[in-house]
Amino acid sequence: MRFLLVLTVLVAVSCKDHEPAPTTKERPNILFIMSDDHAYQALSAYSDKLLKTPQIDRIAKEGMRFTNASVTNSICAPSRATILTGKFSHLNGKIDNRSPFDTTQTTFPQLFQKAGYQTAIFGKLHFGNNPKGVDESIILPGQGYYINPDFIKKNGDTINITGYVTDIITDLTLNWLQHERDTQKPFMLMYLHKAPHRPWWPSPEKFKEFSKMTFPEPETLFDTYENRGTAAKTAEMNLLKHMMYSHDSKVRPEIVTAKEGVTPEIAEFENSFYGPYGRANAEQKAKYDPVIDSIGAYFKTHWPTMTDTEKMKWKYQRYMQDYLGTIASVDENVGRVLDYLDDSALADNTIVVYTSDQGFYLGEHGWFDKRFAYNESFKTPLLIRWPHVIQPGTTEDEMVQNLDFAQTLLEAAGIAAPDDMQGESLVPLLKGHKESWTRNSVYYHYYEYPAVHMVKRHYAIVNKDYKLIHFYYDVDEWELYDRKADPNEMNNVYHDPAYAEVVQQLKTELTELRKTYKDSGELDQKFIQKYKDENWLE
């Protein structure tokens, strides 16, 4: 997904040690690229164990790769609201996918637009159909579709475009760059992909290609959560127990219903398959059907005799084939845009950011989805290229968050950030001035419970060495992980006497962080009561 930027002229609104604003000719263009649920494990700039992503990797090779980038709230719409506003969920109002976004909030695209940038957004915004601060927008309604998707234009008209969503979003982006932008203005462009969000429909070509591949299993695929608390044991995102055969694994519903005892499925699971598949035209279906038929044939033959272990392994492979297939298309299309920047001589003065709205589980701990403060969900890929500023091939391990994106881009463009933004500009790190970076830990807060996947409400403090998490609402449990000694986060050492001093220190720091970021819990309690009154929380 992508977002918008804006600029307030040189008003004395505190912007933390900003350098003098560049002249109009010097102001960099901004290309903000965001995918949806792209796990850092599925980006070869971080690891090529699962997939090679040579085009996205170009940004890392020519710029900076962050190894400790994270989100403040690992769920789609709240993450995007944080990116747009530079504020935590409890201040921008978007604490979960259900709560409303406060549209009176200033977003950074508005500031860029006010400062004279031409702004545009193409792709998946996820919430709200009328983004502020953009000169042009063509966005997916809500989650959008992979196949022959609908789009909402800036004037409110809905259009349908035949094709695969990742290709189409790229076509729209390139068309704007080539034919519609004002070449006399710098641009702030948000290029936002739907992929690889569930239900992971690759293009017909990638569906065929990746269905033949086998991928290595994570070492924690069969995690039993023995040394973890209630939250890990009760979450509902286990591949075996909660990943659906039709919706996720692409087994036709009529084949599933012909087998007794198939779980899990949902009441309307036929539409969960035929909804996406049914959007395909005859030519597209002819390309999808051979793979779908082969999946169904395997299921019919093998499912009755498969053990739970075999079912888990099969679901994992089907998951990876589709999930990684969607990313392969993202990678190729990002390459198309980067090539255009190179060929049009725009690359030299364009800051390129690649990130995701959060991390994602790729079978680690037996899970799919996100939400937890555990690494695979909490961490997110972040690559930034800024020619003549960032030393190519740099790796940065400081604790940074999506909370920081707005202030970073504003400072890079010479635009003052409002006082109420809560992030820290990454510009000192980008320029190699690491000595001026003072943040040692980051704050995390997840709210959406009870809800899909049933991940309990929790907040956390995380530094390079440790992670302290407090689960609350219907439990009161603490967890502490030694991030260096236990990188897979398999052993909660909160009650280990050897860590008593660490626990006390982190609790003190956590209390201070909550005060600093003004998280009193008031909005959380307000929505808990509201949802109870609406019989949404049981």
Side-chain angles (χ1 to χ4, degrees):
M1 306 165 187
R2 315 224 155 69
F3 303 70
L4 323 154
L5 309 149
V6 188
L7 190 143
T8 48
V9 187
L10 296 158
V11 190
V13 174
S14 82
C15 216
K16 297 177 188 162
D17 300 325
H18 289 286
E19 297 183 1
T23 65
T24 300
K25 289 185 178 180
E26 293 173 334
R27 287 188 294 176
N29 302 308
I30 309 290
L31 173 61
F32 185 85
I33 310 172
M34 188 163 73
S35 50
D36 193 319
D37 293 342
H38 189 171
Y40 64 90
Q41 313 93 284
L43 189 58
S44 53
Y46 291 91
S47 171
D48 61 1
K49 184 177 179 180
L50 291 173
L51 181 70
K52 292 190 183 299
T53 51
Q55 301 304 322
I56 300 173
D57 289 358
R58 288 164 59 182
I59 304 170
K61 290 176 182 177
E62 298 166 5
M64 182 174 287
R65 176 178 66 106
F66 288 83
T67 59
N68 264 320
S70 65
V71 298
T72 64
N73 184 357
S74 185
I75 186 168
C76 295
S79 177
R80 298 165 194 278
T82 291
I83 291 170
L84 283 172
T85 63
K87 298 178 188 177
F88 278 94
S89 301
H90 59 271
L91 291 189
N92 66 45
K94 192 67 178 167
I95 65 171
D96 54 30
N97 279 336
R98 179 181 172 91
S99 59
F101 174 65
D102 180 359
T103 57
T104 66
Q105 301 257 350
T106 297
T107 62
F108 75 84
Q110 292 173 273
L111 299 174
F112 271 85
Q113 188 183 56
K114 186 177 178 181
Y117 271 71
Q118 189 177 21
T119 58
I121 176 173
F122 300 101
K124 182 178 179 181
L125 180 60
H126 188 267
F127 67 94
N129 295 329
N130 187 26
K132 297 191 298 182
V134 287
D135 298 306
E136 181 61 275
S137 65
I138 303 178
I139 59 177
L140 294 163
Q143 289 287 356
Y145 290 98
Y146 277 103
I147 305 168
N148 302 336
D150 297 325
F151 287 89
I152 300 173
K153 299 175 69 176
K154 184 172 174 58
N155 64 7
D157 291 347
T158 298
I159 59 173
N160 178 264
I161 303 178
T162 299
Y164 185 65
V165 67
T166 306
D167 300 331
I168 295 169
I169 291 170
T170 305
D171 291 342
L172 294 170
T173 299
L174 286 172
N175 179 68
W176 185 83
L177 282 169
Q178 293 170 329
H179 305 297
E180 297 181 358
R181 70 181 180 90
D182 183 347
T183 59
Q184 299 304 306
K185 292 183 177 182
F187 62 80
M188 198 299 291
L189 171 60
M190 303 191 86
Y191 167 46
L192 312 175
H193 284 291
K194 171 180 172 61
H197 194 281
R198 192 182 188 191
W200 317 301
W201 278 87
S203 68
E205 295 76 20
K206 298 301 182 187
F207 195 46
K208 178 180 179 180
E209 176 186 353
F210 277 73
S211 69
K212 300 174 183 178
M213 297 182 182
T214 301
F215 298 93
E217 297 171 358
E219 58 183 292
T220 60
L221 181 63
F222 293 95
D223 190 354
T224 59
Y225 321 114
E226 182 178 353
N227 297 314
R228 263 62 48 78
T230 304
K233 293 180 175 70
T234 58
E236 297 180 358
M237 51 191 193
N238 181 270
L239 271 69
L240 176 64
K241 297 177 181 178
H242 307 111
M243 183 170 277
M244 294 178 282
Y245 285 100
S246 289
H247 181 62
D248 299 317
S249 299
K250 314 301 187 296
V251 181
R252 293 186 190 273
E254 57 269 27
I255 295 176
V256 176
T257 55
K259 303 291 183 185
E260 292 187 6
V262 177
T263 58
E265 290 303 327
I266 56 177
E268 298 179 357
F269 74 97
E270 285 193 29
N271 189 54
S272 73
F273 174 86
Y274 283 113
Y277 171 80
R279 298 184 67 84
N281 58 36
E283 181 181 355
Q284 292 164 332
K285 286 179 180 177
K287 294 178 180 179
Y288 278 113
D289 284 345
V291 178
I292 293 173
D293 291 342
S294 69
I295 293 168
Y298 185 94
F299 181 86
K300 282 194 293 186
T301 302
H302 294 88
W303 187 85
T305 60
M306 291 169 72
T307 65
D308 282 351
T309 296
E310 290 169 334
K311 290 174 183 176
M312 182 78 147
K313 287 174 172 283
W314 182 80
K315 279 188 171 183
Y316 170 76
Q317 293 300 331
R318 279 271 55 252
Y319 173 32
M320 287 300 93
Q321 289 164 1
D322 291 350
Y323 178 94
L324 297 174
T326 69
I327 292 177
S329 289
V330 172
D331 186 63
E332 290 178 357
N333 278 279
V334 167
R336 291 173 60 200
V337 177
L338 295 180
D339 286 346
Y340 175 75
L341 294 181
D342 290 342
D343 295 342
S344 61
L346 286 169
D348 199 54
N349 192 38
T350 299
I351 297 173
V352 178
V353 178
Y354 185 88
T355 191
S356 178
D357 53 353
Q358 59 259 323
F360 214 69
Y361 292 102
L362 304 184
E364 298 89 0
H365 307 291
W367 288 333
F368 62 101
D369 206 68
K370 55 241 182 187
R371 301 166 194 267
F372 275 113
Y374 304 140
N375 273 347
E376 292 82 6
S377 168
F378 166 76
K379 291 177 66 174
T380 189
L382 177 61
L383 312 173
I384 303 179
R385 185 179 77 182
W386 189 358
H388 313 299
V389 175
I390 296 175
Q391 182 71 27
T394 305
T395 298
E396 180 54 74
D397 70 345
E398 292 296 340
M399 303 297 298
V400 305
Q401 288 191 295
N402 59 352
L403 182 73
D404 305 323
F405 294 171
Q407 282 162 275
T408 301
L409 297 174
L410 288 168
E411 179 169 354
I415 303 168
D419 284 334
D420 60 354
M421 282 189 174
Q422 296 180 295
E424 298 286 338
S425 170
L426 305 181
V427 168
L429 295 177
L430 300 180
K431 292 185 174 182
H433 303 322
K434 190 165 181 170
E435 69 282 355
S436 63
W437 185 259
T438 59
R439 178 193 287 158
N440 295 314
S441 58
V442 295
Y443 179 61
Y444 178 88
H445 198 157
Y446 174 79
Y447 303 83
E448 192 167 292
Y449 174 88
V452 61
H453 298 303
M454 297 299 285
V455 172
K456 294 187 183 296
R457 294 171 186 247
H458 59 288
Y459 52 85
I461 180 173
V462 187
N463 60 35
K464 293 180 184 178
D465 297 320
Y466 300 104
K467 179 180 296 179
L468 180 69
I469 309 172
H470 181 213
F471 292 94
Y472 68 98
Y473 177 69
D474 59 350
V475 293
D476 181 8
E477 296 181 359
W478 290 85
E479 295 180 2
L480 174 70
Y481 294 94
D482 187 324
R483 300 185 71 202
K484 292 185 176 177
D486 179 24
N488 288 330
E489 298 174 321
M490 299 290 286
N491 187 28
N492 172 22
V493 294
Y494 178 78
H495 297 289
D496 186 335
Y499 288 89
E501 188 175 337
V502 172
V503 168
Q504 187 56 51
Q505 178 63 32
L506 288 177
K507 280 191 171 182
T508 300
E509 291 181 16
L510 177 58
T511 298
E512 290 305 310
L513 270 186
R514 298 194 77 192
K515 290 179 180 177
T516 297
Y517 291 128
K518 303 177 182 179
D519 187 4
S520 65
E522 181 179 350
L523 188 65
D524 189 14
Q525 293 304 312
K526 173 184 175 181
F527 278 109
I528 286 174
Q529 187 58 52
K530 173 179 170 62
Y531 296 161
K532 283 182 177 179
D533 293 343
E534 296 174 355
N535 297 317
W536 187 62
L537 298 183
E538 298 179 358

